[in-house]
Amino acid sequence: MLFSKILLPTLKDAPQEAEVISHKLMLRAGMVRKVASGIYTWLPLGLRVLRKIENIVREEMDASGAQEVLMPMVQPKELWQETNRWEKMGPELLRLQDRHERDFCLGPTHEEVITDLIRNNVKSYKELPINIYQIQTKFRDEVRPRYGVMRGREFLMKDSYSFNADEACLEETYQKMRNTYKTVLERIGLDYKIVSADSGSIGGDASEEFHVLAETGEDTIAISDSSEFAINTELLLKDGEDISSLEGKPSPDGNGTIQIKKGIEVGHIFQLGKVYAEDMKANVLNKEGKASTLHMGCYGIGVSRLVAAAIEQNNDDKGIVWPHGIAPFDINIIAIGYEKDQIISEAADSLYAELISMGYEVILDDRKDGYGTKMKDSELMGIPLNIIIGKQFIENNEIELKARTGESSSNDIGDTKTILDFFKNK
RNA sequence: CGGGGUAUAGCGCAGUCUGGUAGCGCACUCGCUUUGGGAGCGAGUGGUCGUAAGUUCGAAUCUUACUACCCCGACCA
């Protein structure tokens, strides 16, 4: 990818609409642009990151045995009436009518659609358990969208729904999803906590949230300083109690004391039980040939929110510092004097081609700008490795490898092994 | 929905109090010189000052209404 050809409008100043660091940096790095409150266009750089995360999620979901489908965003009222949620959900359910004045909504979630699919197409316990997922745009007309894509109204989510014969089977799938989510967050490279949560209006039994720890998180969680225990503070507070009063108390699990942290909820897993299956009469025949209500679980990951969460956790005064697994590019070749100097341009072009053939994702900064401008942009965008081809190359045949995190070294241009080592060690 | 705030060029801002026909920095275009930390000089492009109505000879500026956006709260698989 040539820098001069990609739509990458970087900004020196953050627009005043942005408050939190991830929002500012996403705007400044040219990743997203706002279309309306809580509704964004993803530009090429942002989309690359979004797709990276999406693909990690997809790979791990597939590895867990889940199957990918794609359900509609527009859903008919009739399905939502079956679970009573057409009435129960407030204005956050965006409703619309088609030309025949038939009622629809934009899907904020897909229990109704998936349960309808399964009840019509799965008839026997022999087909269970089954776990179906999609990565799709959701719409929730949030009371107050904020912080850019962190809490958008339109957002990209991986949602999956498991159908199980009984509670034990559901528990098994639930644990499998729990492990899958751990793997996903570890692959992305985030510091997170699994938090016991209120299962809320959905009902059902077990429910856990996956929180990326960050100061700007909207949720307050209590974690033990000496065990894995973590719980949403909503579940600990008695009437009238202040959150700060929890700090330093003995942890409810008996290990250590409570610390209060802010978290960004990026995942939520539920054991729903039979709630929706009963409402929608989703049965299969069991071994005895009798109709048996399905046990259901649902599992969500906020894909677009993860982009913002990753930035909240990985930035410095110069810009974004992407974890290697989700950086929009692996390498930025900063060619100083590319337009003017054929020695530079030929060296940059051939290195670019070689690195791509080695499997790296590379951007070549071929713009007619100086070192400062190019480095500032690269640091803002958080590209893990910069390769500088400039004066040193003309004089000593040397290129400089400069990591986003600071280290740098001078190398022979033929020394691609060092580049390999750079990525291997991360 | 309650409270607070903002709205002038793509971005950041001044001008508003005290009405006189819109400006600065960056970005962008052209030319020349530059090129290892956001370059220099010269010449340019770009704005019905959020919208509507009102006051006035005259409104970015005063009045009223509305809208959009942001923050706090309530809300939130």
Side-chain angles (χ1 to χ4, degrees), chain A residues 323-349:
Chain A
H324 288 201
I326 58 171
F329 294 97
D330 302 313
I331 299 167
N332 185 5
I333 299 176
I334 293 184
I336 304 157
Y338 182 90
E339 283 214 351
K340 196 178 155 189
D341 195 325
Q342 208 181 346
I343 296 173
I344 298 287
S345 65
E346 280 176 1
D349 286 344

Side-chain angles (χ1 to χ4, degrees), chain A residues 28 68 71 100 256 346:
Chain A
R28 286 190 54 210
E68 185 169 7
M71 292 184 262
H100 306 294
E346 280 176 1

Side-chain angles (χ1 to χ4, degrees), chain A residues 35 44-45 52 79 103 131 138 141 149 157 165 171 197 204 221 268 282 319 376 383 403:
Chain A
V35 175
L45 193 78
K52 288 268 174 87
L79 277 181
D103 292 310
N131 192 6
K138 297 280 187 282
D141 199 355
V149 300
M157 182 175 181
E171 172 68 22
I221 56 182
H268 203 156
K376 291 283 186 195
I383 313 299

Side-chain angles (χ1 to χ4, degrees), chain A residues 118-321:
Chain A
I118 297 300
R119 72 178 168 187
N120 289 333
N121 296 283
V122 174
K123 298 298 181 187
S124 161
Y125 74 94
K126 293 176 189 167
E127 297 173 71
L128 304 180
I130 188 167
N131 192 6
I132 306 284
Y133 79 96
Q134 64 173 347
I135 298 173
Q136 189 235 24
T137 300
K138 297 280 187 282
F139 193 94
R140 295 179 190 171
D141 199 355
E142 293 278 351
V143 180
R144 182 146 87 90
R146 61 184 132 179
Y147 303 155
V149 300
M150 187 97 84
R151 180 182 283 279
R153 292 191 291 174
E154 187 177 300
F155 58 98
L156 191 66
M157 182 175 181
K158 186 286 301 177
D159 50 326
S160 46
Y161 308 88
S162 75
F163 294 86
N164 306 73
D166 54 37
E167 280 175 27
C169 179
L170 173 56
E171 172 68 22
E172 212 171 290
T173 304
Y174 180 89
Q175 290 303 332
K176 192 181 277 183
M177 281 298 99
R178 193 176 192 272
N179 285 328
T180 298
Y181 278 30
K182 287 165 77 169
T183 309
V184 165
L185 293 175
E186 275 151 29
R187 275 188 64 185
I188 295 174
L190 297 177
D191 186 16
Y192 70 97
K193 279 279 178 186
I194 301 177
V195 178
S196 306
D198 187 355
S199 48
S201 55
I202 289 197
D205 312 314
S207 162
E208 288 171 297
E209 297 168 348
F210 289 72
H211 283 258
V212 167
L213 298 176
E215 276 311 303
T216 46
E218 293 187 79
D219 294 282
T220 309
I221 56 182
I223 65 176
S224 163
D225 61 2
S226 52
S227 74
E228 286 297 301
F229 180 84
I231 188 167
N232 198 305
T233 51
E234 289 162 21
L235 299 186
L236 282 185
L237 289 172
K238 297 179 187 78
D239 280 345
E241 247 184 324
D242 191 71
I243 284 173
S244 58
S245 69
L246 295 172
E247 183 99 45
K249 279 188 179 172
S251 173
D253 73 333
N255 292 305
T257 56
I258 289 177
Q259 278 189 304
I260 301 297
K261 295 271 188 188
K262 288 287 184 181
I264 302 164
E265 183 191 343
V266 296
H268 203 156
I269 55 178
F270 281 92
Q271 292 185 33
L272 293 172
K274 298 195 273 190
V275 187
Y276 293 101
E278 275 171 354
D279 284 345
M280 296 184 69
K281 300 185 175 52
N283 308 311
V284 292
L285 292 184
N286 61 19
K287 278 181 187 168
E288 287 78 40
K290 298 252 167 59
S292 163
T293 303
L294 288 163
H295 290 251
M296 196 173 163
C298 75
Y299 320 92
I301 288 184
V303 176
S304 47
R305 179 177 285 181
L306 269 170
V307 178
I311 296 173
E312 287 294 330
Q313 210 173 71
N314 297 281
N315 67 81
D316 61 18
D317 56 343
K318 293 173 179 163
I320 303 167
V321 186

Side-chain angles (χ1 to χ4, degrees), chain A residues 71-72 75 107 109-114 134 136 138 159 161:
Chain A
M71 292 184 262
Q75 307 177 12
T109 178
H110 283 70
E111 280 84 4
E112 283 79 1
V113 174
I114 190 68
Q134 64 173 347
Q136 189 235 24
K138 297 280 187 282
D159 50 326
Y161 308 88

Side-chain angles (χ1 to χ4, degrees), chain A residues 57-66 131 133 158 160 177 180:
Chain A
V57 171
R58 178 174 287 114
E59 284 171 21
E60 295 304 325
M61 288 303 293
D62 288 344
S64 80
N131 192 6
Y133 79 96
K158 186 286 301 177
S160 46
M177 281 298 99
T180 298

